[in-house]
Amino acid sequence: PKVRRPKNFICTISDDRGEEATYAGYPISSVATPDTGKTIGDVISLLWFKKVYPRWAVDFIETVIKTVADHGPAVSGAHNAKVTARAGKSVVESLVTGLLTIGPRFGGAIDGAAKYFKYAYDNELSPAEFLAYMKKQGIPIPGIGHRIKSLRNPDLRVEGLKKFAAEYFPKTPLLDYALEVEQLTTSKKDNLILNVDGTIGILMVDMWRSLGYSEEEIDEFIESGTLNSFFILGRTIGFIGHVLDEKRLAMPMYRHPWDDILYDVKKAEEI
Ligand code: ACO
Ligand code: LMR
């Protein structure tokens, strides 16, 4: 009998051994050239999910990527990338310093939002019960709150995503629930809106449920960090833009001004 040599790696998404490499079985040329009508959303559905998603889902993914591509120079990641570029580092070095800020507070609350809102909805917690549950967990509700956006200054990215969902999603039960939660949180403080991370995480769950994924599969997506990956990918576009901007402007090394730092160091004799 044929004895198979044990393999060190397994790959289930792409294959480069033939004349033309494939994405989930599809030759690159069948998705890459304009005449195929395929978009980055299609490539993501093949390489991340190994499926051909229906048009509305592909378009949603594409919309999310475009929506999170940048939010100006002042946010954590763009700031880091700009400072690093000005220290003379390369595009890739500057980019990763930006990416490393993506986490539970900035851009990386998407998996958490999906996880906790899904839990609350599935367990039929009222919005008030959900808030009490999260208080017990001792963490801010992922997907709620924004530094500059509020009821008075709504986040138009969120409005855009909600509009897309209303038009193209078969149904949005988790978003509908999240909007009830938002009513309660914003009644406490008007910047505790459903933010862009929350909207993406929650709508992705609605999308996957409409596409027929099992609860186990959706939980696996959340646990493996799939949802934050949409932000990581999209914002990479903006971070690279900021790094190239710094390089083109030939900006000097950055040093933070003393007068913007509260120095509160004890004298040696006080220690
Ligand atoms: N859930 C519950 N309470 C909250 C939340 C939340 N998500 N966010 C803020 N609060 C409360 C705080 O407990 C605090 O209450 P207190 O005044 O009684 O102490 C008050 O609101 C202000 O809190 P700050 O941390 O100062 O709020 P800030 O506006 O600076 O924070 C932030 C913004 C970091 C986004 C925060 O809302 C948060 O951690 N949200 C959850 C994480 C998240 O969704 N991040 C993604 C943001 S979108 C993006 O990055 C693309
Ligand atoms: C972002 O997309 O980077 C933001 O929502 C964060 C911010 O403070 O603008």
Side-chain angles (χ1 to χ4, degrees):
K2 214 167 154 187
V3 179
R4 278 184 196 272
R5 191 164 54 86
K7 312 286 189 194
N8 281 308
F9 284 98
I10 300 173
C11 173
T12 70
I13 64 164
S14 58
D15 193 339
D16 58 315
R17 292 169 303 175
E19 197 187 341
E20 187 179 11
T22 59
Y23 300 160
Y26 284 77
I28 293 177
S29 59
S30 74
V31 292
T33 50
D35 55 305
T36 64
K38 303 288 189 195
T39 63
I40 290 288
D42 289 286
V43 173
I44 293 171
S45 90
L46 290 175
L47 285 175
W48 290 12
F49 306 111
K50 300 181 281 179
K51 276 192 170 40
V52 177
Y53 278 0
R55 205 68 237 156
W56 67 268
V58 166
D59 286 345
F60 180 63
I61 290 175
E62 181 103 358
T63 301
V64 165
I65 298 299
K66 290 193 281 191
T67 299
V68 301
D70 193 37
H71 210 233
V75 306
S76 305
H79 175 87
N80 255 18
K82 284 170 79 69
V83 170
T84 309
R86 290 177 61 164
K89 307 294 295 259
S90 68
V91 173
V92 67
E93 288 163 328
S94 307
L95 168 64
V96 295
T97 65
L99 292 175
L100 285 171
T101 65
I102 298 175
R105 291 183 183 157
F106 166 67
I110 313 184
D111 286 295
K115 174 178 167 175
Y116 286 108
F117 278 90
K118 183 174 175 295
Y119 170 86
Y121 176 79
D122 293 351
N123 288 282
E124 295 179 15
L125 300 188
S126 69
E129 286 169 336
F130 179 39
L131 260 54
Y133 171 79
M134 291 307 296
K135 207 167 194 160
K136 236 192 246 161
Q137 302 290 309
I139 52 166
I141 304 167
I144 292 284
H146 200 276
R147 264 287 160 92
I148 59 168
K149 296 295 174 186
S150 67
L151 286 183
R152 275 169 297 125
N153 176 26
D155 191 334
L156 297 183
R157 297 172 297 177
V158 171
E159 299 311 312
L161 294 171
K162 288 197 293 201
K163 190 161 170 278
F164 183 103
E167 217 163 306
Y168 299 108
F169 277 44
K171 51 188 173 31
T172 57
L174 197 57
L175 176 67
D176 302 342
Y177 173 73
L179 294 175
E180 282 178 41
V181 172
E182 182 191 41
Q183 282 200 349
L184 186 59
T185 53
T186 50
S187 72
K188 294 177 188 293
K189 207 164 174 266
D190 82 344
N191 73 327
L192 295 183
I193 53 161
L194 181 64
N195 62 38
V196 71
D197 277 15
T199 312
I200 293 169
I202 282 153
L203 281 177
M204 286 288 175
V205 173
D206 278 332
M207 178 187 84
W208 284 324
R209 283 187 167 153
S210 290
L211 295 177
Y213 280 99
S214 70
E215 293 311 302
E216 292 70 36
E217 286 172 310
I218 295 175
D219 289 342
E220 207 175 276
F221 287 154
I222 294 171
E223 293 308 320
S224 58
T226 307
L227 291 148
N228 286 350
S229 303
F230 290 107
F231 191 92
I232 296 166
L233 176 65
R235 194 51 64 91
T236 291
I237 300 170
F239 289 165
I240 290 175
H242 287 294
V243 172
L244 296 177
D245 203 26
E246 289 292 355
K247 291 189 180 293
R248 279 190 305 251
L249 292 165
M251 294 297 281
M253 190 176 78
Y254 180 76
R255 197 175 198 284
H256 202 73
W258 278 327
D259 65 5
D260 189 39
I261 299 170
L262 171 65
Y263 289 93
D264 188 20
V265 186
K266 287 197 166 79
K267 293 198 168 61
E269 56 274 23
E270 292 176 317
I271 292 176

